[in-house]
Amino acid sequence: MSINEMGFEVFEEMLDLADDLRVDVIELENGAVVIDAGVKAPGGLWAGIFISRICMADLADIQIVPYGLKGISVPGIQVTTDHPAISCMGSQCAMWQIKVDKYFAMGSGPARALARKTKDLYERIGFDEYSDVGAIVLEASRIPDAAVAARIAEMCGIEPSDLRIAVAPTDSVAGMVQVSARIVETGMHKLFTMGFDITKIKSGWGVAPIAPVAGDATMCMGASNDAIIYGGDTYYTIEYENLEELKDYVRKMPSSASRDYGVPFYSAFKAAGFDFFKVDHNIFAPARVVMNELISRTTIVSGRLNHDVLMESFGIQVL
């Protein structure tokens, strides 16, 4: 099966469980089907799991697990995949800015591969996708209309009636879940931006807390990023012959390598005038990385968890 067919099947599961997942199903005039998991519908943790499965083309095991935060148990998310390059970078990574008239969303999921967003990534991992159906997840505050769906379908080379769209804003429970589910992908992306051959990575595991919904959308965006930046633990297996070179990469991987490390992301974002281009992008990385190199049978570790910043970012009040 193609990754879009796999994501499409997860979407069909969501349709069958719509009432239990507390999501709304909307069929647009051109036949495209939309699931609202947090714009007007309440959604929830379970809906967030399904959205995360779509994002990763169902090539990962994704579970809600307890996460210990300074003696407090909060929900966390655990992600395990033996197809990290395709599931994380080929599908999940939010590299598609969708702009149609006044509508804007960040697009993730298998449909990105049909639209070849971005082309150089797919060339570097040697992946091609062919499918008559498409599945995409939008991080947006509004439900897309038929014009948006038609544009996405056109870029994917499919009919709008064969397109499935799941939507959740950042400041929703499902939205917070799907961001934390990017824990393995965030480390993969950091390596990719450093020019590393990510096809060398054979498997990935990660766990991160799920940020609570607190404050406005921008504050929630900051807290959801902090869940990974300060609370994200990752473990990768890899085959890489030059161990010293690998150590240099791993040393630079964690968020602590960034000049903006040490304060909640919202604070760094505000100091940058809310301009993403002025934020040090090295901050977008897991808090800690463990790398098991299979040829030398050596395991190396870099980075650290920082629960003090997480408590501040999450706005947790202990009475």
Side-chain angles (χ1 to χ4, degrees), residues 67 180 183 207-211 222-232 310 314:
Y67 187 96
S180 288
I183 176 60
V207 64
I210 297 167
S224 64
N225 276 291
D226 287 334
I228 293 174
I229 293 169
Y230 295 105
L310 276 185
F314 289 1

Side-chain angles (χ1 to χ4, degrees), residues 118-133:
T118 52
K119 186 178 179 180
D120 65 322
L121 164 66
Y122 296 105
E123 289 175 349
R124 283 171 61 178
I125 65 175
F127 181 73
D128 289 312
E129 168 74 349
Y130 304 96
S131 176
D132 294 327
V133 298

Side-chain angles (χ1 to χ4, degrees), residues 183-227:
I183 176 60
V184 176
E185 177 256 304
T186 305
M188 297 284 291
H189 186 266
K190 180 69 172 287
L191 284 171
F192 179 78
T193 60
M194 290 192 287
F196 189 84
D197 181 3
I198 58 173
T199 63
K200 300 290 186 182
I201 300 177
K202 304 306 176 185
S203 62
W205 172 92
V207 64
I210 297 167
V213 177
D216 60 21
T218 305
M219 294 177 72
C220 284
M221 179 273 295
S224 64
N225 276 291
D226 287 334

Side-chain angles (χ1 to χ4, degrees), residues 11 18 38 44 52 90 95 105 132 134 177 189 198 202 220 227 237 254 262 275 311:
F11 195 99
S52 302
M95 288 183 168
D132 294 327
V177 171
H189 186 266
I198 58 173
K202 304 306 176 185
C220 284
T237 62
D275 184 345
M311 292 289 284

Side-chain angles (χ1 to χ4, degrees), residues 49 52-53 56 60-67 75-81 92 177 180-184 204-210 233:
I49 291 292
S52 302
R53 286 176 58 198
M56 299 191 75
D61 179 71
I62 306 173
Q63 301 180 32
I64 300 288
V65 295
Y67 187 96
I77 196 158
Q78 177 178 276
V79 178
T80 308
T81 179
Q92 185 182 27
V177 171
S180 288
R182 297 174 184 274
I183 176 60
V184 176
W205 172 92
V207 64
I210 297 167
D233 239 338

Side-chain angles (χ1 to χ4, degrees), residues 88-253:
C88 295
M89 296 301 294
S91 186
Q92 185 182 27
C93 193
M95 288 183 168
W96 190 356
Q97 292 189 7
I98 295 169
K99 299 177 182 178
V100 180
D101 296 326
K102 294 182 180 180
Y103 188 86
F104 176 80
M106 293 301 299
S108 308
R112 236 191 67 234
L114 288 175
R116 302 291 283 181
K117 300 288 182 177
T118 52
K119 186 178 179 180
D120 65 322
L121 164 66
Y122 296 105
E123 289 175 349
R124 283 171 61 178
I125 65 175
F127 181 73
D128 289 312
E129 168 74 349
Y130 304 96
S131 176
D132 294 327
V133 298
I136 190 168
V137 172
L138 301 183
E139 189 173 339
S141 58
R142 292 165 49 206
I143 301 297
D145 59 16
V148 175
R151 178 58 179 153
I152 294 172
E154 178 187 11
M155 296 183 73
C156 292
I158 61 175
E159 294 298 320
S161 58
D162 293 320
L163 178 66
R164 300 293 181 264
I165 305 170
V167 188
T170 305
D171 56 340
S172 67
V173 175
M176 290 297 201
V177 171
Q178 71 89 16
V179 173
S180 288
R182 297 174 184 274
I183 176 60
V184 176
E185 177 256 304
T186 305
M188 297 284 291
H189 186 266
K190 180 69 172 287
L191 284 171
F192 179 78
T193 60
M194 290 192 287
F196 189 84
D197 181 3
I198 58 173
T199 63
K200 300 290 186 182
I201 300 177
K202 304 306 176 185
S203 62
W205 172 92
V207 64
I210 297 167
V213 177
D216 60 21
T218 305
M219 294 177 72
C220 284
M221 179 273 295
S224 64
N225 276 291
D226 287 334
I228 293 174
I229 293 169
Y230 295 105
D233 239 338
T234 55
Y235 180 99
Y236 302 92
T237 62
I238 185 171
E239 292 180 355
Y240 202 85
E241 293 184 354
N242 191 329
L243 186 59
E244 291 307 311
E245 187 173 270
L246 178 63
K247 287 180 180 179
D248 190 50
Y249 276 112
V250 174
R251 190 177 294 113
K252 297 173 183 176
M253 270 186 75

